Amino acid sequence: MSGQSLLVPGELSPTRPVPGNIRRPEYVGKPAPTPYTGPEVQTPETIEAMRVAGRIAAQAMEEAAKLIAPGVTTDELDKVAHDYMCDHGAYPSTLGYRGFPKSLCTSVNEVICHGIPDSTVLRDGDIVNLDVTAYIGGVHGDNNATYLVGDVDEESRLLVERTRESLNRAIKAVKPGRQINIIGRVIESYAKRFGYGVVRDFTGHGINSSFHSGLIIPHYDSPHATTVMQPGMTFTIEPMLTLGTHEYDMWDDGWTVVTKDRKRTAQFEHTLVVTESGAEILTLP
């Protein structure tokens, strides 16, 4: 694995403003969101709105990813995604969610998820995950992907490639009438072929007018994930695979989750709707 030094927290820039005419999610300015009590199966109108939100999120992530290179700060990536969403009438869902201070998550190397964009400078050989969610039309669209920074070692490159493949395989396993646990079973069985850890405590989730509806999508074969998939259900799948343990530590910021052994980790995510025959990806640029 790359011999890069471990990450340390950088300095935060001031909170980026959002134009006043852009609708905010209900949780902005509150310590926590109001618990979701609605259905997991969505109306065609909600699903169509989620296609719009998902497309903006995917395009914002794509725009930010164009900037990825050695010497660029994670805060610069945040600015690109923030500006793109605001320019397209969307609110960056993470901004103000349970106090999160930025408009996307940037998780570098050993960071599993929820890394906060700051003055951290990307280095040649790093890998970085961008996690972008957009809120528009009263609904959210959530996606993420892991990118290579410059010349990346083979072990890390394969981890990224195989994590993407685990998501693709999981999406193909989505079928109405199947239990949710088929998703984790497919991811875990594929990851085990390469000796990768599968993060258990951070999962996919139901998503709609709520950022996290309460529906849990484990990425391992959980005996408790017995909810049966139905057409119109909307949720994310977002496997996090590691080169070592799936266990983690959390930084003092209360957000940044790092592998306990500090080995590298990768993640990919799409928002999906269950169809009559499988799944439609709602987060395509």
Side-chain angles (χ1 to χ4, degrees), residues 37-71:
T37 56
E40 297 298 345
V41 172
Q42 304 305 310
T43 65
E45 292 76 18
T46 297
I47 293 166
E48 179 54 36
M50 289 181 68
R51 286 191 187 96
V52 174
R55 186 163 59 246
I56 291 172
Q59 289 171 335
M61 184 174 73
E62 204 172 61
E63 287 302 307
K66 290 176 182 176
L67 199 67
I68 291 173

PDB file of all heavy atoms in Angstrom, residues 37-71:
ATOM      1  N   THR A  37     -42.057   9.724   8.993  1.00  0.00           N
ATOM      2  CA  THR A  37     -43.141   8.795   9.332  1.00  0.00           C
ATOM      3  C   THR A  37     -43.934   8.367   8.100  1.00  0.00           C
ATOM      4  O   THR A  37     -44.941   7.671   8.221  1.00  0.00           O
ATOM      5  CB  THR A  37     -44.109   9.435  10.349  1.00  0.00           C
ATOM      6  OG1 THR A  37     -44.607  10.673   9.800  1.00  0.00           O
ATOM      7  CG2 THR A  37     -43.407   9.719  11.669  1.00  0.00           C
ATOM      8  N   GLY A  38     -43.470   8.768   6.921  1.00  0.00           N
ATOM      9  CA  GLY A  38     -44.192   8.440   5.692  1.00  0.00           C
ATOM     10  C   GLY A  38     -43.838   7.063   5.148  1.00  0.00           C
ATOM     11  O   GLY A  38     -43.063   6.309   5.749  1.00  0.00           O
ATOM     12  N   PRO A  39     -44.366   6.728   3.985  1.00  0.00           N
ATOM     13  CA  PRO A  39     -44.129   5.413   3.386  1.00  0.00           C
ATOM     14  C   PRO A  39     -42.755   5.315   2.730  1.00  0.00           C
ATOM     15  O   PRO A  39     -42.171   6.326   2.331  1.00  0.00           O
ATOM     16  CB  PRO A  39     -45.241   5.313   2.337  1.00  0.00           C
ATOM     17  CG  PRO A  39     -45.480   6.737   1.923  1.00  0.00           C
ATOM     18  CD  PRO A  39     -45.287   7.559   3.167  1.00  0.00           C
ATOM     19  N   GLU A  40     -42.247   4.075   2.604  1.00  0.00           N
ATOM     20  CA  GLU A  40     -41.001   3.840   1.864  1.00  0.00           C
ATOM     21  C   GLU A  40     -41.276   3.741   0.360  1.00  0.00           C
ATOM     22  O   GLU A  40     -40.393   3.988  -0.456  1.00  0.00           O
ATOM     23  CB  GLU A  40     -40.310   2.572   2.363  1.00  0.00           C
ATOM     24  CG  GLU A  40     -39.867   2.623   3.822  1.00  0.00           C
ATOM     25  CD  GLU A  40     -38.837   3.696   4.137  1.00  0.00           C
ATOM     26  OE1 GLU A  40     -38.230   4.245   3.197  1.00  0.00           O
ATOM     27  OE2 GLU A  40     -38.631   3.985   5.335  1.00  0.00           O
ATOM     28  N   VAL A  41     -42.506   3.392  -0.008  1.00  0.00           N
ATOM     29  CA  VAL A  41     -42.912   3.362  -1.423  1.00  0.00           C
ATOM     30  C   VAL A  41     -43.400   4.754  -1.798  1.00  0.00           C
ATOM     31  O   VAL A  41     -44.291   5.313  -1.151  1.00  0.00           O
ATOM     32  CB  VAL A  41     -44.013   2.315  -1.653  1.00  0.00           C
ATOM     33  CG1 VAL A  41     -44.567   2.411  -3.081  1.00  0.00           C
ATOM     34  CG2 VAL A  41     -43.470   0.901  -1.399  1.00  0.00           C
ATOM     35  N   GLN A  42     -42.812   5.308  -2.854  1.00  0.00           N
ATOM     36  CA  GLN A  42     -43.081   6.690  -3.234  1.00  0.00           C
ATOM     37  C   GLN A  42     -44.021   6.780  -4.436  1.00  0.00           C
ATOM     38  O   GLN A  42     -44.121   5.845  -5.245  1.00  0.00           O
ATOM     39  CB  GLN A  42     -41.761   7.402  -3.548  1.00  0.00           C
ATOM     40  CG  GLN A  42     -40.763   7.360  -2.409  1.00  0.00           C
ATOM     41  CD  GLN A  42     -41.313   7.911  -1.102  1.00  0.00           C
ATOM     42  OE1 GLN A  42     -41.883   9.008  -1.076  1.00  0.00           O
ATOM     43  NE2 GLN A  42     -41.147   7.165  -0.016  1.00  0.00           N
ATOM     44  N   THR A  43     -44.669   7.928  -4.559  1.00  0.00           N
ATOM     45  CA  THR A  43     -45.555   8.170  -5.690  1.00  0.00           C
ATOM     46  C   THR A  43     -44.729   8.436  -6.949  1.00  0.00           C
ATOM     47  O   THR A  43     -43.555   8.826  -6.868  1.00  0.00           O
ATOM     48  CB  THR A  43     -46.446   9.387  -5.443  1.00  0.00           C
ATOM     49  OG1 THR A  43     -45.608  10.558  -5.360  1.00  0.00           O
ATOM     50  CG2 THR A  43     -47.240   9.235  -4.148  1.00  0.00           C
ATOM     51  N   PRO A  44     -45.322   8.252  -8.143  1.00  0.00           N
ATOM     52  CA  PRO A  44     -44.593   8.593  -9.370  1.00  0.00           C
ATOM     53  C   PRO A  44     -44.105  10.041  -9.387  1.00  0.00           C
ATOM     54  O   PRO A  44     -43.028  10.317  -9.918  1.00  0.00           O
ATOM     55  CB  PRO A  44     -45.629   8.339 -10.468  1.00  0.00           C
ATOM     56  CG  PRO A  44     -46.538   7.292  -9.894  1.00  0.00           C
ATOM     57  CD  PRO A  44     -46.617   7.613  -8.436  1.00  0.00           C
ATOM     58  N   GLU A  45     -44.878  10.949  -8.777  1.00  0.00           N
ATOM     59  CA  GLU A  45     -44.479  12.359  -8.758  1.00  0.00           C
ATOM     60  C   GLU A  45     -43.224  12.556  -7.898  1.00  0.00           C
ATOM     61  O   GLU A  45     -42.313  13.305  -8.273  1.00  0.00           O
ATOM     62  CB  GLU A  45     -45.627  13.221  -8.213  1.00  0.00           C
ATOM     63  CG  GLU A  45     -46.849  13.297  -9.097  1.00  0.00           C
ATOM     64  CD  GLU A  45     -47.716  12.042  -9.059  1.00  0.00           C
ATOM     65  OE1 GLU A  45     -47.585  11.230  -8.103  1.00  0.00           O
ATOM     66  OE2 GLU A  45     -48.533  11.863  -9.986  1.00  0.00           O
ATOM     67  N   THR A  46     -43.179  11.891  -6.762  1.00  0.00           N
ATOM     68  CA  THR A  46     -41.992  11.988  -5.902  1.00  0.00           C
ATOM     69  C   THR A  46     -40.776  11.390  -6.589  1.00  0.00           C
ATOM     70  O   THR A  46     -39.670  11.954  -6.541  1.00  0.00           O
ATOM     71  CB  THR A  46     -42.248  11.287  -4.554  1.00  0.00           C
ATOM     72  OG1 THR A  46     -43.301  11.962  -3.872  1.00  0.00           O
ATOM     73  CG2 THR A  46     -40.996  11.298  -3.677  1.00  0.00           C
ATOM     74  N   ILE A  47     -40.966  10.258  -7.242  1.00  0.00           N
ATOM     75  CA  ILE A  47     -39.851   9.605  -7.941  1.00  0.00           C
ATOM     76  C   ILE A  47     -39.328  10.490  -9.066  1.00  0.00           C
ATOM     77  O   ILE A  47     -38.107  10.616  -9.259  1.00  0.00           O
ATOM     78  CB  ILE A  47     -40.286   8.219  -8.462  1.00  0.00           C
ATOM     79  CG1 ILE A  47     -40.558   7.287  -7.275  1.00  0.00           C
ATOM     80  CG2 ILE A  47     -39.227   7.625  -9.389  1.00  0.00           C
ATOM     81  CD1 ILE A  47     -41.304   6.021  -7.644  1.00  0.00           C
ATOM     82  N   GLU A  48     -40.217  11.151  -9.777  1.00  0.00           N
ATOM     83  CA  GLU A  48     -39.775  12.055 -10.842  1.00  0.00           C
ATOM     84  C   GLU A  48     -38.990  13.228 -10.257  1.00  0.00           C
ATOM     85  O   GLU A  48     -37.954  13.636 -10.809  1.00  0.00           O
ATOM     86  CB  GLU A  48     -40.977  12.565 -11.641  1.00  0.00           C
ATOM     87  CG  GLU A  48     -40.611  13.528 -12.770  1.00  0.00           C
ATOM     88  CD  GLU A  48     -39.573  12.971 -13.737  1.00  0.00           C
ATOM     89  OE1 GLU A  48     -39.594  11.750 -14.029  1.00  0.00           O
ATOM     90  OE2 GLU A  48     -38.715  13.749 -14.210  1.00  0.00           O
ATOM     91  N   ALA A  49     -39.441  13.767  -9.129  1.00  0.00           N
ATOM     92  CA  ALA A  49     -38.698  14.838  -8.473  1.00  0.00           C
ATOM     93  C   ALA A  49     -37.327  14.346  -8.025  1.00  0.00           C
ATOM     94  O   ALA A  49     -36.328  15.077  -8.105  1.00  0.00           O
ATOM     95  CB  ALA A  49     -39.494  15.370  -7.278  1.00  0.00           C
ATOM     96  N   MET A  50     -37.248  13.098  -7.578  1.00  0.00           N
ATOM     97  CA  MET A  50     -35.971  12.523  -7.149  1.00  0.00           C
ATOM     98  C   MET A  50     -35.022  12.318  -8.336  1.00  0.00           C
ATOM     99  O   MET A  50     -33.803  12.378  -8.175  1.00  0.00           O
ATOM    100  CB  MET A  50     -36.185  11.210  -6.407  1.00  0.00           C
ATOM    101  CG  MET A  50     -36.818  11.398  -5.027  1.00  0.00           C
ATOM    102  SD  MET A  50     -37.059   9.842  -4.138  1.00  0.00           S
ATOM    103  CE  MET A  50     -35.348   9.372  -3.806  1.00  0.00           C
ATOM    104  N   ARG A  51     -35.558  12.078  -9.518  1.00  0.00           N
ATOM    105  CA  ARG A  51     -34.702  12.004 -10.720  1.00  0.00           C
ATOM    106  C   ARG A  51     -34.002  13.342 -10.949  1.00  0.00           C
ATOM    107  O   ARG A  51     -32.815  13.386 -11.282  1.00  0.00           O
ATOM    108  CB  ARG A  51     -35.526  11.637 -11.957  1.00  0.00           C
ATOM    109  CG  ARG A  51     -35.969  10.195 -12.019  1.00  0.00           C
ATOM    110  CD  ARG A  51     -36.555   9.854 -13.392  1.00  0.00           C
ATOM    111  NE  ARG A  51     -37.119   8.514 -13.377  1.00  0.00           N
ATOM    112  CZ  ARG A  51     -38.397   8.224 -13.181  1.00  0.00           C
ATOM    113  NH1 ARG A  51     -39.277   9.214 -13.026  1.00  0.00           N
ATOM    114  NH2 ARG A  51     -38.812   6.977 -13.158  1.00  0.00           N
ATOM    115  N   VAL A  52     -34.743  14.423 -10.737  1.00  0.00           N
ATOM    116  CA  VAL A  52     -34.164  15.761 -10.908  1.00  0.00           C
ATOM    117  C   VAL A  52     -33.092  15.999  -9.856  1.00  0.00           C
ATOM    118  O   VAL A  52     -31.967  16.422 -10.163  1.00  0.00           O
ATOM    119  CB  VAL A  52     -35.264  16.834 -10.829  1.00  0.00           C
ATOM    120  CG1 VAL A  52     -34.650  18.233 -10.867  1.00  0.00           C
ATOM    121  CG2 VAL A  52     -36.259  16.659 -11.977  1.00  0.00           C
ATOM    122  N   ALA A  53     -33.411  15.728  -8.593  1.00  0.00           N
ATOM    123  CA  ALA A  53     -32.447  15.931  -7.513  1.00  0.00           C
ATOM    124  C   ALA A  53     -31.219  15.047  -7.706  1.00  0.00           C
ATOM    125  O   ALA A  53     -30.074  15.482  -7.516  1.00  0.00           O
ATOM    126  CB  ALA A  53     -33.102  15.646  -6.156  1.00  0.00           C
ATOM    127  N   GLY A  54     -31.462  13.794  -8.103  1.00  0.00           N
ATOM    128  CA  GLY A  54     -30.366  12.859  -8.299  1.00  0.00           C
ATOM    129  C   GLY A  54     -29.441  13.271  -9.432  1.00  0.00           C
ATOM    130  O   GLY A  54     -28.217  13.138  -9.331  1.00  0.00           O
ATOM    131  N   ARG A  55     -30.035  13.793 -10.498  1.00  0.00           N
ATOM    132  CA  ARG A  55     -29.220  14.235 -11.634  1.00  0.00           C
ATOM    133  C   ARG A  55     -28.347  15.430 -11.249  1.00  0.00           C
ATOM    134  O   ARG A  55     -27.163  15.482 -11.612  1.00  0.00           O
ATOM    135  CB  ARG A  55     -30.127  14.585 -12.814  1.00  0.00           C
ATOM    136  CG  ARG A  55     -29.376  14.921 -14.104  1.00  0.00           C
ATOM    137  CD  ARG A  55     -30.294  14.856 -15.300  1.00  0.00           C
ATOM    138  NE  ARG A  55     -31.431  15.770 -15.185  1.00  0.00           N
ATOM    139  CZ  ARG A  55     -32.704  15.375 -15.075  1.00  0.00           C
ATOM    140  NH1 ARG A  55     -33.009  14.093 -15.047  1.00  0.00           N
ATOM    141  NH2 ARG A  55     -33.671  16.268 -14.990  1.00  0.00           N
ATOM    142  N   ILE A  56     -28.899  16.365 -10.500  1.00  0.00           N
ATOM    143  CA  ILE A  56     -28.113  17.528 -10.065  1.00  0.00           C
ATOM    144  C   ILE A  56     -26.977  17.087  -9.143  1.00  0.00           C
ATOM    145  O   ILE A  56     -25.838  17.554  -9.265  1.00  0.00           O
ATOM    146  CB  ILE A  56     -29.013  18.575  -9.386  1.00  0.00           C
ATOM    147  CG1 ILE A  56     -29.949  19.216 -10.426  1.00  0.00           C
ATOM    148  CG2 ILE A  56     -28.181  19.647  -8.682  1.00  0.00           C
ATOM    149  CD1 ILE A  56     -31.009  20.117  -9.834  1.00  0.00           C
ATOM    150  N   ALA A  57     -27.271  16.165  -8.221  1.00  0.00           N
ATOM    151  CA  ALA A  57     -26.227  15.662  -7.318  1.00  0.00           C
ATOM    152  C   ALA A  57     -25.111  14.983  -8.097  1.00  0.00           C
ATOM    153  O   ALA A  57     -23.920  15.174  -7.811  1.00  0.00           O
ATOM    154  CB  ALA A  57     -26.830  14.699  -6.297  1.00  0.00           C
ATOM    155  N   ALA A  58     -25.488  14.176  -9.082  1.00  0.00           N
ATOM    156  CA  ALA A  58     -24.492  13.464  -9.882  1.00  0.00           C
ATOM    157  C   ALA A  58     -23.640  14.431 -10.694  1.00  0.00           C
ATOM    158  O   ALA A  58     -22.417  14.265 -10.811  1.00  0.00           O
ATOM    159  CB  ALA A  58     -25.191  12.464 -10.803  1.00  0.00           C
ATOM    160  N   GLN A  59     -24.279  15.453 -11.239  1.00  0.00           N
ATOM    161  CA  GLN A  59     -23.529  16.421 -12.048  1.00  0.00           C
ATOM    162  C   GLN A  59     -22.640  17.296 -11.172  1.00  0.00           C
ATOM    163  O   GLN A  59     -21.517  17.645 -11.571  1.00  0.00           O
ATOM    164  CB  GLN A  59     -24.514  17.271 -12.856  1.00  0.00           C
ATOM    165  CG  GLN A  59     -25.178  16.462 -13.972  1.00  0.00           C
ATOM    166  CD  GLN A  59     -26.315  17.202 -14.660  1.00  0.00           C
ATOM    167  OE1 GLN A  59     -26.934  18.094 -14.081  1.00  0.00           O
ATOM    168  NE2 GLN A  59     -26.599  16.828 -15.893  1.00  0.00           N
ATOM    169  N   ALA A  60     -23.102  17.629  -9.975  1.00  0.00           N
ATOM    170  CA  ALA A  60     -22.274  18.413  -9.050  1.00  0.00           C
ATOM    171  C   ALA A  60     -21.035  17.618  -8.654  1.00  0.00           C
ATOM    172  O   ALA A  60     -19.922  18.171  -8.584  1.00  0.00           O
ATOM    173  CB  ALA A  60     -23.082  18.792  -7.807  1.00  0.00           C
ATOM    174  N   MET A  61     -21.218  16.320  -8.406  1.00  0.00           N
ATOM    175  CA  MET A  61     -20.079  15.467  -8.069  1.00  0.00           C
ATOM    176  C   MET A  61     -19.109  15.370  -9.245  1.00  0.00           C
ATOM    177  O   MET A  61     -17.887  15.452  -9.068  1.00  0.00           O
ATOM    178  CB  MET A  61     -20.556  14.073  -7.671  1.00  0.00           C
ATOM    179  CG  MET A  61     -19.435  13.152  -7.199  1.00  0.00           C
ATOM    180  SD  MET A  61     -20.044  11.576  -6.561  1.00  0.00           S
ATOM    181  CE  MET A  61     -20.543  10.755  -8.087  1.00  0.00           C
ATOM    182  N   GLU A  62     -19.660  15.244 -10.430  1.00  0.00           N
ATOM    183  CA  GLU A  62     -18.834  15.156 -11.642  1.00  0.00           C
ATOM    184  C   GLU A  62     -18.021  16.436 -11.837  1.00  0.00           C
ATOM    185  O   GLU A  62     -16.833  16.395 -12.198  1.00  0.00           O
ATOM    186  CB  GLU A  62     -19.746  14.911 -12.847  1.00  0.00           C
ATOM    187  CG  GLU A  62     -19.081  14.262 -14.026  1.00  0.00           C
ATOM    188  CD  GLU A  62     -20.095  13.871 -15.095  1.00  0.00           C
ATOM    189  OE1 GLU A  62     -20.777  14.773 -15.636  1.00  0.00           O
ATOM    190  OE2 GLU A  62     -20.221  12.667 -15.384  1.00  0.00           O
ATOM    191  N   GLU A  63     -18.644  17.586 -11.602  1.00  0.00           N
ATOM    192  CA  GLU A  63     -17.929  18.861 -11.747  1.00  0.00           C
ATOM    193  C   GLU A  63     -16.799  18.985 -10.731  1.00  0.00           C
ATOM    194  O   GLU A  63     -15.692  19.417 -11.061  1.00  0.00           O
ATOM    195  CB  GLU A  63     -18.908  20.034 -11.605  1.00  0.00           C
ATOM    196  CG  GLU A  63     -19.822  20.234 -12.797  1.00  0.00           C
ATOM    197  CD  GLU A  63     -19.065  20.470 -14.084  1.00  0.00           C
ATOM    198  OE1 GLU A  63     -18.208  21.379 -14.110  1.00  0.00           O
ATOM    199  OE2 GLU A  63     -19.306  19.734 -15.065  1.00  0.00           O
ATOM    200  N   ALA A  64     -17.084  18.630  -9.485  1.00  0.00           N
ATOM    201  CA  ALA A  64     -16.046  18.694  -8.458  1.00  0.00           C
ATOM    202  C   ALA A  64     -14.901  17.733  -8.781  1.00  0.00           C
ATOM    203  O   ALA A  64     -13.721  18.063  -8.591  1.00  0.00           O
ATOM    204  CB  ALA A  64     -16.635  18.380  -7.087  1.00  0.00           C
ATOM    205  N   ALA A  65     -15.247  16.553  -9.291  1.00  0.00           N
ATOM    206  CA  ALA A  65     -14.229  15.541  -9.581  1.00  0.00           C
ATOM    207  C   ALA A  65     -13.255  15.990 -10.667  1.00  0.00           C
ATOM    208  O   ALA A  65     -12.094  15.559 -10.678  1.00  0.00           O
ATOM    209  CB  ALA A  65     -14.899  14.233  -9.981  1.00  0.00           C
ATOM    210  N   LYS A  66     -13.722  16.865 -11.560  1.00  0.00           N
ATOM    211  CA  LYS A  66     -12.836  17.368 -12.621  1.00  0.00           C
ATOM    212  C   LYS A  66     -11.631  18.114 -12.039  1.00  0.00           C
ATOM    213  O   LYS A  66     -10.593  18.219 -12.683  1.00  0.00           O
ATOM    214  CB  LYS A  66     -13.607  18.312 -13.555  1.00  0.00           C
ATOM    215  CG  LYS A  66     -14.639  17.623 -14.430  1.00  0.00           C
ATOM    216  CD  LYS A  66     -15.410  18.647 -15.255  1.00  0.00           C
ATOM    217  CE  LYS A  66     -16.498  17.988 -16.102  1.00  0.00           C
ATOM    218  NZ  LYS A  66     -17.297  19.009 -16.834  1.00  0.00           N
ATOM    219  N   LEU A  67     -11.792  18.635 -10.831  1.00  0.00           N
ATOM    220  CA  LEU A  67     -10.735  19.431 -10.205  1.00  0.00           C
ATOM    221  C   LEU A  67      -9.712  18.574  -9.460  1.00  0.00           C
ATOM    222  O   LEU A  67      -8.648  19.061  -9.085  1.00  0.00           O
ATOM    223  CB  LEU A  67     -11.377  20.433  -9.233  1.00  0.00           C
ATOM    224  CG  LEU A  67     -10.560  21.643  -8.791  1.00  0.00           C
ATOM    225  CD1 LEU A  67     -10.311  22.569  -9.975  1.00  0.00           C
ATOM    226  CD2 LEU A  67     -11.296  22.391  -7.674  1.00  0.00           C
ATOM    227  N   ILE A  68     -10.045  17.296  -9.239  1.00  0.00           N
ATOM    228  CA  ILE A  68      -9.183  16.447  -8.411  1.00  0.00           C
ATOM    229  C   ILE A  68      -7.806  16.294  -9.042  1.00  0.00           C
ATOM    230  O   ILE A  68      -7.670  15.861 -10.184  1.00  0.00           O
ATOM    231  CB  ILE A  68      -9.836  15.066  -8.198  1.00  0.00           C
ATOM    232  CG1 ILE A  68     -11.072  15.201  -7.297  1.00  0.00           C
ATOM    233  CG2 ILE A  68      -8.839  14.077  -7.586  1.00  0.00           C
ATOM    234  CD1 ILE A  68     -11.877  13.924  -7.171  1.00  0.00           C
ATOM    235  N   ALA A  69      -6.776  16.664  -8.270  1.00  0.00           N
ATOM    236  CA  ALA A  69      -5.386  16.579  -8.719  1.00  0.00           C
ATOM    237  C   ALA A  69      -4.502  16.858  -7.517  1.00  0.00           C
ATOM    238  O   ALA A  69      -4.933  17.502  -6.549  1.00  0.00           O
ATOM    239  CB  ALA A  69      -5.099  17.605  -9.822  1.00  0.00           C
ATOM    240  N   PRO A  70      -3.256  16.397  -7.549  1.00  0.00           N
ATOM    241  CA  PRO A  70      -2.339  16.752  -6.469  1.00  0.00           C
ATOM    242  C   PRO A  70      -2.240  18.270  -6.317  1.00  0.00           C
ATOM    243  O   PRO A  70      -2.172  19.004  -7.312  1.00  0.00           O
ATOM    244  CB  PRO A  70      -1.008  16.150  -6.942  1.00  0.00           C
ATOM    245  CG  PRO A  70      -1.385  15.029  -7.851  1.00  0.00           C
ATOM    246  CD  PRO A  70      -2.617  15.505  -8.555  1.00  0.00           C
ATOM    247  N   GLY A  71      -2.270  18.744  -5.068  1.00  0.00           N
ATOM    248  CA  GLY A  71      -2.163  20.172  -4.796  1.00  0.00           C
ATOM    249  C   GLY A  71      -3.491  20.876  -4.577  1.00  0.00           C
ATOM    250  O   GLY A  71      -3.522  22.017  -4.107  1.00  0.00           O
TER     251      GLY A  71
END
